[in-house]
């Protein structure tokens, strides 16, 4: 067993000697065997410690000796690290028992001056041969030895001849020596010949050592003797170099040119914090690149100095530094420079968040791990200004973005002040800051950006709109944290905490300090007629004044009546702050308007409540109030007429019942029908629409995690539901005029107008009845007087007067004497047809208005039945609960090509003619309402 182990050790030692000891050209086999045996004997002596001092068999000590030598001979720790890895693997091998001997042998072989006797490594080198000049060629022997121990690199070129003796030797040498052949050892292959062409080309261009000497300057973008820069993007390479060398220089020229362009980019100026941060990050990478070049320059200088000391300037490969190795060492740096150059090209058309998204795309959408890691390293520097702006925005509510690189933009003051009627708080919340989706970087999501935008806007609104800057400053000191790229958990936690704290504070201020919900309730009670006793008292006190023309209305009179209505109703128990905001106004006047057309109530709100009750919301409230006020006015007018008719039926009307009973029965039925319509319309708007929408608004504004935007959205939805379901928001397209017009608003105005006109006609009938009653009373008194005088009670003239109807003028006079506020002359009826035409004209007027009312109600019900909204269909069912009406589904106006029968065409023309004449016939109160639904949106006159 011992013999086998010794034999295996001897074979391994012989193989190692074969590798380390080269063979000479033209050397006979006996001399080569002799040198091999001497080297093998030397190795055996070293192993056996013969001729050397005693050394302790410590494997760790041997390893430490080798490490010291590697640290002494190499500047970089790569060799030492590689040895440590191999040493660790050696210790794990159980087969090798003499680990210390192996390490000590390798250490002794690597030492140029071994302590022991016997042949040394210098003795193992091949003996010099005699040349034709009678001298030894030591340089050739040294070259052969270095070629044998050189690591893989570029093909070595023959060194230039420095002495005439060397030239003579080359001329007298054999063919094999002149061609540069080497005799292979026993275990190696023959080296390829270099060729005379390469030697010739090399002699005409700079040597590799000269190129290496200039290479550090070239890699730094500086011109040198052999590698000058002719422009920013051009490097002039030497001529007459071999193609492999040219290829290597081309590869090394890329980082040089990239460095020059990137240096120019870093030195340029950019009006942007993130752009400056990108330049700083690139500058830092360029400084790391210069550190690599400095290390490479040190290696090149040491190699050249060692070659100069050994007088082997042309054999730089023997020193371990070549152009090919420089290409390998700079390959990773070149990739980084190439990537930064691409980023610079892409950054020319981007800024801010777009620039961050571009760099982030390299780390997420690129498959090369090096590119991803490099982009992540760049992002950690580039995103610092972005996270500074983000931190200041979400903790302090201030936007520090002088170059408009953040995804939150601040509008100019001129852009905010385009509408002079816009409230300041509305401007601060909705117009001061905007979210620019194009500047949102890809490192954050869109929902995250919207939450950040809402946090900062809320803090800014709390500071400036609500005047609570002390809380914002305290919150900033308590919750402010440093944000940086890559710390996603901290960022998300900070955003969630800031969002909850900011929203809770804002809702608290709106509810407690500014009493938002009390203002909304006041708007519902006063402008939406929720306070019934107040509205009834106000209408009763204003009815006499509002019947007058609009030009005769005085604001102080309206204000006094408003104060009277407040003091006489339950409104007096409201907060003084609520009551002082309620005011009576007059809208813009037009010719022919009465006080009913221009009167409106106004509720004033201050900042910051006006961010929710916006000018648009005020217009919506005004629009709804005008409709409800007119409906209430019609209800009040019909109720007054109904009470007069019911009171007169037991007195005046009973006297003329034989003559006018049918007329009064028809009139009372039609008035009851109109009162039913008005009551159902009011019930629908006040309860089915406003109350139901109010419940939804109340639930929305009191839910958890409610934000100011949620309040605005809920209030907007509340007003849109009221206007749409309240028959104010349905719009249709008129194919004749090409305009969009309200579908139900115009119909309601026409119906209310007809009701008032019918009420005036009934009042005219009542005046006629009072006049007839008065005439009969006078005739009865005259008969009694004549009878008392002993004359005939009735004469032929009295019979004629009794048989003939009363004239219009006399009826008006009698009506005035009967204290009737509705004279017949207001109806526009004259005695042009004689006294016999008075009563038939009133009857005709009542009949036409009643028929027109039923026709329009049928049209309205037909339109309501086809609406998709269930509540609007419910209104049609309630109004026609006993099927008294026949709802008519009208054809769309788009079908104008369909032919009509002559009767339908005539009826249409007559209906249009009647509609044109309704303005004056219906009384002055709704003369302007015929112009359309826009009447309700007039701006209050100042």
């Amino acid at each position: 067993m011992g013999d086998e182990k010794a034999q295996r050790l001897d074979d391994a030692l012989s193989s190692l000697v074969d590798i380390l000891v080269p063979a000479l050209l033209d050397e006979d086999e006996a001399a080569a065997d002799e040198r091999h045996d001497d080297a093998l004997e030397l190795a055996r002596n070293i192993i056996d410690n013969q001729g050397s001092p005693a050394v302790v068999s410590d494997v760790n000590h041997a390893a430490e000796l080798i490490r010291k030598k590697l640290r002494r001979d190499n500047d970089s720790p790569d060799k030492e690290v590689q040895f440590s890895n191999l040493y660790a693997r050696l210790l794990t091998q159980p087969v090798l028992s003499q680990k210390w001997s192996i390490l000590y042998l390798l250490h002794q072989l690597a030492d140029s001056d071994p302590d022991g006797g016997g042949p040394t490594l210098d003795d193992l080198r091949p003996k010099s041969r005699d040349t034709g000049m009678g001298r030894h060629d030591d340089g050739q022997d040294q070259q052969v030895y270095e070629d044998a121990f050189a690591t893989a690199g570029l093909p070595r070129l023959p060194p230039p001849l420095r002495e005439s003796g060397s030239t003579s030797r080359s001329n007298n040498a054999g063919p094999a020596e002149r061609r540069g052949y080497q005799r292979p050892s026993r275990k190696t292959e023959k080296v390829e010949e270099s060729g005379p062409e390469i030697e010739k080309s090399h002699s005409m261009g700079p040597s590799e050592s000269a190129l290496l000497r200039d290479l550090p300057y070239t890699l730094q973008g500086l011109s040198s003797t052999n590698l000058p820069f002719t422009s920013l993007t051009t490097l002039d390479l030497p001529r007459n170099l071999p193609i492999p060398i040219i290829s290597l220089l081309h590869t090394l020229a890329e980082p040089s040119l990239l460095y020059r362009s990137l240096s120019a980019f870093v030195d340029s100026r950019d009006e942007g914090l993130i752009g400056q941060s990108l330049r700083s990050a690139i500058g830092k990478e360029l400084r790391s690149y210069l550190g690599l070049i400095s290390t490479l320059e040190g290696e090149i200088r040491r190699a050249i100095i060692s070659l100069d000391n050994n007088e082997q300037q042309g054999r730089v490969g023997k020193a371990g530094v070549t152009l090919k190795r420089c290409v390998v060492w700079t390959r990773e740096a070149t990739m980084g420079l190439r990537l930064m150059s691409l980023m610079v090209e892409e950054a020319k058309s981007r800024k801010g968040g777009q620039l961050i998204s571009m760099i982030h795309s390299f780390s997420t959408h690129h498959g090369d791990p090096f590119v991803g890691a490099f982009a992540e390293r760049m992002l950690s520097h580039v995103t610092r200004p972005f996270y500074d702006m983000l931190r200041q925005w979400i903790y302090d509510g201030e936007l520090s973005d002088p170059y408009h690189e953040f995804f939150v933009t601040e509008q100019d003051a001129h852009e905010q002040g385009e509408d002079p009627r816009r409230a300041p708080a509305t401007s601060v919340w909705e117009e001061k800051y905007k979210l620019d989706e194009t500047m949102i970087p890809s490192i954050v999501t869109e929902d995250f950006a919207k939450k950040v935008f809402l946090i900062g806007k809320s803090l800014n609104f709390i500071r400036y709109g609500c005047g609570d800057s002390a809380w914002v400053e305290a919150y900033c000191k308590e919750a402010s944290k440093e944000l940086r790229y890559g710390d996603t958990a901290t960022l998300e936690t900070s955003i969630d905490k800031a969002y909850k704290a900011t929203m809770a504070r804002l809702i608290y201020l709106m509810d407690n300090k500014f009493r938002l919900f009390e203002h909304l309730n006041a708007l519902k009670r006063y402008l939406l007629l929720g306070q019934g006793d107040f509205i009834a008292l106000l209408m009763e006190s204003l009815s006499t004044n509002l019947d007058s023309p609009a030009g005769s209305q005085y604001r102080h009179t309206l204000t006094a009546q408003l104060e009277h209505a407040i003091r006489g109703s339950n409104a007096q128990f409201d907060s003084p702050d609520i009551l002082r905001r309620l005011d009576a106004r007059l809208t813009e006047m037009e010719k022919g308007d009465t006080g009913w057309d221009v009167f409106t109530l106004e509720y004033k709100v201050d900042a910051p409540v006006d961010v929710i009750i916006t000018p648009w919301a005020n217009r919506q409230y005004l629009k709804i109030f005008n409709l409800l006020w007119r409906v209430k006015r019609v209800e009040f007018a019909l109720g007054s007429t109904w009470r007069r008719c019911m009171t007169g039926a037991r007195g005046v009307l009973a006297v003329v019942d034989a003559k006018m009973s049918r007329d009064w029965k028809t009139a009372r039925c039609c008035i009851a029908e109109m009162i039913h319509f008005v009551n159902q319309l009011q019930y629908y708007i006040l309860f089915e629409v406003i109350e139901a929408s109010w419940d939804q608004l109340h639930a929305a504004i009191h839910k958890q995690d409610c934000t100011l935007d949620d309040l605005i959205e809920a209030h907007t939805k509340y007003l849109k539901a009221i206007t749409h379901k309240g028959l104010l928001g349905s719009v249709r397209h008129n194919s004749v005029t090409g305009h969009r017009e309200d579908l139900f608003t115009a119909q309601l105005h026409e119906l209310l107008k007809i009701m008032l006109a019918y009420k005036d006609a009934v009042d005219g009938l009542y005046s006629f009845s009072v006049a007839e009653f008065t005439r009969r009373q006078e005739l009865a008194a005259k008969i009694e007087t004549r009878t008392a005088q002993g004359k005939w009670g009735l004469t032929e003239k009295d019979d004629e007067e009794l048989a003939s109807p009363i004239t219009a003028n006399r009826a008006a006079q009698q009506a005035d004497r009967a204290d009737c506020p509705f004279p017949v002359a207001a109806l526009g009826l004259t005695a042009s047809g004689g006294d016999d035409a008075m009563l038939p004209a009133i009857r005709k007027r009542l009949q036409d208005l009643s028929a027109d009312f039923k026709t329009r109600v049928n049209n309205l019900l037909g339109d309501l039945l086809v609406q998709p909204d269930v509540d609007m269909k419910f209104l049609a069912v309630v109004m026609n609960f006993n099927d008294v009406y026949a709802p008519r589904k009208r054809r769309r106006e788009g079908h104008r090509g369909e032919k009509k029968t002559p009767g339908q065409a005539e009826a249409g023309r007559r209906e249009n003619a009647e509609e044109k004449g309704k303005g004056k016939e219906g009384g002055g109160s709704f003369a302007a309402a015929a112009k359309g639904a826009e009447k309700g949106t007039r701006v209050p006159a100042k």
Side-chain angles (χ1 to χ4, degrees):
M1 187 66 181
D3 295 341
E4 182 180 357
K5 181 178 180 181
Q7 182 64 33
R8 189 166 63 250
L9 180 62
D10 188 70
D11 292 341
L13 187 61
S14 178
S15 301
L16 180 62
V17 171
D18 289 341
I19 296 174
L20 295 177
V21 178
L24 296 177
L25 296 175
D26 299 335
E27 184 181 19
D28 55 359
E29 187 175 356
D33 293 340
E34 183 180 358
R35 288 194 304 107
H36 179 271
D37 294 338
D38 293 341
L40 184 60
E41 185 65 23
L42 174 62
R44 289 171 179 169
N45 292 336
I46 293 174
I47 294 176
D48 296 336
N49 293 327
Q50 296 178 0
S52 61
V55 180
V56 180
S57 301
D58 188 359
V59 64
N60 294 327
H61 177 68
E64 186 63 26
L65 291 177
I66 296 176
R67 288 194 184 96
K68 289 181 179 180
K69 179 175 179 58
L70 292 175
R71 281 196 296 268
R72 183 175 63 252
D73 296 342
N74 300 277
D75 294 337
S76 62
D78 296 341
K79 297 293 185 180
E80 184 179 356
V81 172
Q82 185 179 4
F83 169 75
S84 298
N85 295 333
L86 294 176
Y87 174 66
R89 294 173 58 186
L90 177 64
L91 294 178
T92 59
Q93 298 295 328
V95 179
L96 302 177
S97 59
Q98 301 295 328
K99 298 181 178 63
W100 172 85
S101 301
I102 297 174
L103 294 177
Y104 188 73
L105 170 63
L106 294 176
H107 178 263
Q108 292 293 79
L109 290 176
D111 196 352
S112 59
D113 189 16
D115 296 332
T120 63
L121 289 177
D122 293 333
D123 299 332
L124 297 179
R125 292 174 180 172
K127 303 298 187 296
S128 61
R129 299 173 58 88
D130 293 337
T131 61
M133 301 296 295
R135 296 186 308 164
H136 294 292
D137 191 1
D138 298 334
Q140 182 67 21
D141 296 341
Q142 178 69 18
Q143 173 185 347
V144 173
Y145 175 79
E146 291 180 354
D147 286 342
F149 284 89
T151 58
L154 295 176
R156 271 58 175 185
L157 300 177
L161 300 177
R162 297 185 300 273
E163 301 177 359
S164 58
S166 301
T167 305
S168 175
R169 186 191 62 81
S170 300
N171 293 334
N172 297 329
E177 293 184 29
R178 289 195 300 267
R179 290 194 303 268
Y181 279 105
Q182 294 180 354
R183 178 183 176 183
S185 62
R186 298 178 182 180
K187 301 297 180 72
T188 59
E189 299 291 338
K190 184 171 67 174
V191 182
E192 296 181 359
E193 58 181 344
S194 58
E197 293 80 11
I198 299 179
E199 182 180 359
K200 181 178 180 181
S201 300
H202 177 73
S203 62
M204 297 179 63
S207 63
E208 186 175 3
S209 60
L211 295 176
L212 286 172
R213 186 179 293 106
D214 295 341
L215 183 61
Y217 300 98
T218 303
L219 293 177
Q220 298 179 57
L222 302 175
S223 297
S224 59
T225 303
N226 297 315
L227 300 172
F229 285 93
T230 57
S231 65
L232 182 63
T233 59
T234 306
L235 175 64
D236 191 8
L237 298 180
R239 304 180 184 276
N240 301 324
L241 286 177
I243 293 179
I245 301 297
I246 293 295
S247 176
L248 294 175
L249 291 178
H250 272 287
T251 305
L252 293 172
E254 180 182 4
S256 306
L257 297 175
L258 291 176
Y259 176 81
R260 285 173 65 90
S261 62
L262 291 174
S263 298
F265 174 76
V266 171
D267 295 337
S268 63
R269 300 184 61 183
D270 185 8
E271 295 183 355
L273 298 179
I274 296 181
Q276 296 174 13
S277 180
L278 175 63
R279 283 166 168 75
S280 175
I282 293 178
K284 184 176 181 180
E285 294 295 332
L286 292 183
R287 288 191 293 272
S288 300
Y289 169 77
L290 291 178
L292 173 64
I293 301 305
S294 177
T295 303
L296 181 61
E297 183 181 8
E299 294 291 338
I300 293 175
R301 288 183 180 275
R302 280 191 292 271
I304 293 177
I305 291 174
S306 64
L307 291 175
D308 290 340
N309 294 335
N310 295 329
E311 297 182 357
Q312 296 289 338
Q313 293 87 347
R315 309 297 294 175
V316 293
K318 303 302 180 287
V321 179
T322 61
L323 289 175
K324 187 173 183 180
R325 287 182 178 177
C326 290
V327 170
V328 175
W329 291 339
T330 59
R331 180 175 299 170
E332 185 173 344
T334 303
M335 293 177 62
L337 294 173
R338 191 183 303 148
L339 182 58
M340 287 189 292
S341 178
L342 181 60
M343 292 179 181
V344 169
E345 291 296 327
E346 294 290 337
K348 292 181 179 179
S349 59
R350 293 178 172 86
K351 71 173 186 176
Q354 299 173 348
L355 186 59
I356 296 176
S357 299
M358 181 269 295
I359 301 176
H360 186 249
S361 64
F362 286 99
S363 64
T364 56
H365 300 148
H366 203 284
D368 192 346
F370 171 79
V371 174
F374 190 89
E376 290 288 330
R377 188 168 65 250
M378 292 285 292
L379 280 175
S380 62
H381 298 280
V382 174
T383 56
R384 287 180 180 176
F386 171 80
Y387 281 101
D388 289 340
M389 290 184 282
L390 178 63
R391 183 191 59 79
Q392 192 169 4
W393 175 251
I394 65 175
Y395 290 126
D396 199 40
E398 296 290 345
L399 181 61
S400 178
D401 184 19
Y403 301 104
H404 306 287
E405 298 175 295
F406 201 53
F407 56 82
V408 178
T409 60
E410 184 175 3
Q411 306 299 314
D412 295 334
H414 297 289
E415 297 178 3
Q416 300 178 35
E418 290 179 357
D419 188 0
R421 295 171 295 178
R422 186 179 296 277
T426 304
S427 177
V428 170
W429 180 259
E430 295 186 356
E431 299 297 333
K432 186 176 181 180
Y433 296 105
K434 295 291 183 182
L435 179 62
D436 187 2
E437 296 183 356
T438 60
M439 296 298 292
I440 299 177
S442 58
I443 59 176
V444 298
T445 61
E446 186 175 354
D447 294 338
F448 181 87
K450 290 181 179 179
K451 184 179 290 188
V452 168
F453 171 70
L454 186 59
I455 292 172
K457 188 172 66 170
S458 300
L459 286 173
N460 189 273
F461 185 75
I462 292 174
R463 179 190 293 272
Y464 297 105
C466 301
D468 195 7
S469 58
W471 181 87
V472 177
E473 293 176 359
Y475 167 76
C476 180
K477 293 179 181 178
E478 178 184 357
S480 181
K481 295 181 180 179
E482 182 181 0
L483 304 177
R484 61 182 182 272
Y485 177 76
D487 195 358
T488 307
T490 303
L491 180 61
E492 292 181 354
T493 304
S494 301
I495 293 300
D496 291 339
K497 291 182 178 179
Y499 181 80
K500 294 179 181 179
T502 305
M503 294 303 106
R505 181 63 181 179
L506 184 56
I507 297 301
Y508 172 80
L509 291 175
M510 298 299 292
D511 186 11
N512 294 273
K513 183 178 181 180
F514 302 105
R515 299 189 296 178
L516 168 66
F517 306 131
E518 292 185 14
H519 292 310
L520 293 176
N521 192 24
L523 284 168
K524 173 179 173 291
R525 288 190 289 112
Y526 295 115
L527 266 63
L528 301 184
L529 309 189
Q531 191 77 25
D533 56 343
F534 164 77
I535 296 299
L537 185 58
L538 178 65
M539 182 164 289
E540 183 178 354
S541 60
L542 287 176
S543 59
T544 304
N545 293 331
L546 296 182
D547 287 333
S548 304
S552 62
Q553 303 296 324
Y554 298 98
R555 186 184 174 191
H556 65 273
T557 304
L558 301 178
T559 306
Q561 297 297 335
L562 176 63
E563 186 70 19
H564 168 71
I566 291 176
R567 298 308 174 194
S569 63
N570 288 329
Q572 62 180 319
F573 301 108
D574 282 346
S575 171
D577 180 67
I578 297 296
L579 296 177
R580 71 177 178 84
R581 298 175 184 275
L582 189 62
D583 193 10
R585 291 285 185 177
L586 296 176
T587 60
E588 295 180 356
M589 302 179 186
E590 296 182 3
K591 186 177 180 180
D593 287 349
T594 64
W596 294 102
D597 300 318
V598 296
F599 174 80
T600 186
L601 287 180
E602 183 183 24
Y603 188 84
K604 302 175 183 178
V605 292
D606 301 328
V609 179
D610 56 354
V611 75
I612 297 177
I613 307 174
T614 59
W616 173 84
N618 287 327
R619 290 193 297 270
Q620 296 300 109
Y621 278 115
L622 179 61
K623 188 175 181 180
I624 299 169
F625 171 79
N626 286 335
L627 175 63
L628 294 174
W629 181 255
R630 283 173 178 153
V631 174
K632 205 73 176 178
R633 182 262 177 111
V634 172
E635 180 193 25
F636 177 77
L638 292 176
S640 300
T641 301
W642 178 263
R643 288 191 300 270
R644 181 179 293 274
C645 293
M646 293 298 101
T647 303
R650 296 189 296 269
V652 177
L653 300 183
V655 178
V656 296
D657 187 65
K659 183 178 181 180
M660 305 176 65
S661 61
R662 185 176 182 86
D663 298 327
W664 277 109
K665 182 178 180 180
T666 304
R668 283 193 293 268
C669 289
C670 190
I671 289 178
E673 185 178 345
M674 292 180 179
I675 292 176
H676 168 75
F677 177 85
V678 171
N679 290 336
Q680 294 301 324
L681 181 62
Q682 284 192 102
Y683 166 79
Y684 167 73
I685 296 177
L686 294 177
F687 294 96
E688 297 295 335
V689 176
I690 295 179
E691 288 295 336
S693 301
W694 174 260
D695 292 339
Q696 296 177 2
L697 174 64
H698 190 271
I701 62 181
H702 286 92
K703 68 178 181 180
Q704 292 182 351
D705 300 332
C706 182
T707 65
L708 188 59
D709 279 336
D710 293 336
L711 294 180
I712 297 175
E713 182 181 358
H715 186 248
T716 303
K717 183 179 179 181
Y718 165 70
L719 291 178
K720 288 182 178 180
I722 292 176
T723 53
H724 175 71
K725 294 184 178 182
L727 310 181
L728 292 173
S730 299
V731 180
R732 66 177 177 180
H733 181 76
N734 192 330
S735 58
V736 179
T737 62
H739 300 290
R740 294 169 62 86
E741 58 184 17
D742 291 335
L743 177 60
F744 296 112
T745 307
Q747 297 184 58
L748 287 178
H749 282 307
E750 291 299 329
L751 282 170
L752 297 177
K753 221 171 31 166
I754 290 173
M755 294 179 193
L756 289 176
Y758 192 85
K759 171 255 181 189
D760 291 340
V762 171
D763 289 338
L765 181 63
Y766 185 84
S767 299
F768 186 87
S769 301
V770 171
E772 180 67 20
F773 169 77
T774 304
R775 187 173 67 87
R776 293 191 179 191
Q777 289 296 101
E778 290 177 353
L779 182 59
K782 186 184 295 186
I783 292 173
E784 185 178 354
T785 302
R786 287 178 181 177
T787 304
Q789 294 177 357
K791 299 180 182 180
W792 294 99
L794 291 175
T795 61
E796 295 180 358
K797 185 179 180 181
D798 295 333
D799 292 338
E800 291 177 0
E801 291 180 358
L802 186 61
S804 62
I806 190 172
T807 61
N809 294 334
R810 187 176 179 183
Q813 295 174 1
Q814 298 296 335
D816 292 339
R817 287 197 300 269
D819 195 21
C820 178
F822 309 103
V824 179
L827 300 176
L829 301 176
T830 61
S832 60
D835 293 340
D836 297 338
M838 176 60 67
L839 184 58
I842 294 177
R843 291 173 177 171
K844 181 67 167 59
R845 177 66 172 162
L846 292 172
Q847 183 180 1
D848 291 342
L849 290 175
S850 177
D852 192 9
F853 172 77
K854 291 183 179 180
T855 301
R856 292 185 179 277
V857 170
N858 288 330
N859 293 336
L860 177 63
L861 296 180
D863 292 337
L864 289 173
L865 288 174
V866 298
Q867 294 299 312
D869 191 88
V870 178
D871 295 332
M872 300 177 75
K873 290 183 178 180
F874 172 76
L875 175 61
V877 174
V878 170
M879 287 185 176
N880 193 25
F881 69 96
N882 55 359
D883 293 334
V884 106
Y885 300 105
R888 184 178 64 181
K889 297 181 181 179
R890 296 180 296 177
R891 295 178 180 177
R892 296 180 180 177
E893 295 185 6
H895 300 285
R896 292 184 294 169
E898 299 180 0
K899 295 183 179 181
K900 297 182 179 179
T901 62
Q904 292 176 342
E906 181 63 26
R909 286 193 296 270
R910 184 170 61 253
E911 182 178 353
N912 293 334
E914 291 176 357
E915 291 178 357
K916 293 180 180 179
K918 290 295 192 320
K920 297 181 179 179
E921 297 172 356
S925 60
F926 274 88
K931 298 177 182 178
E934 295 299 325
K935 186 71 175 178
T937 59
R938 292 179 179 173
V939 180
K942 302 296 181 183

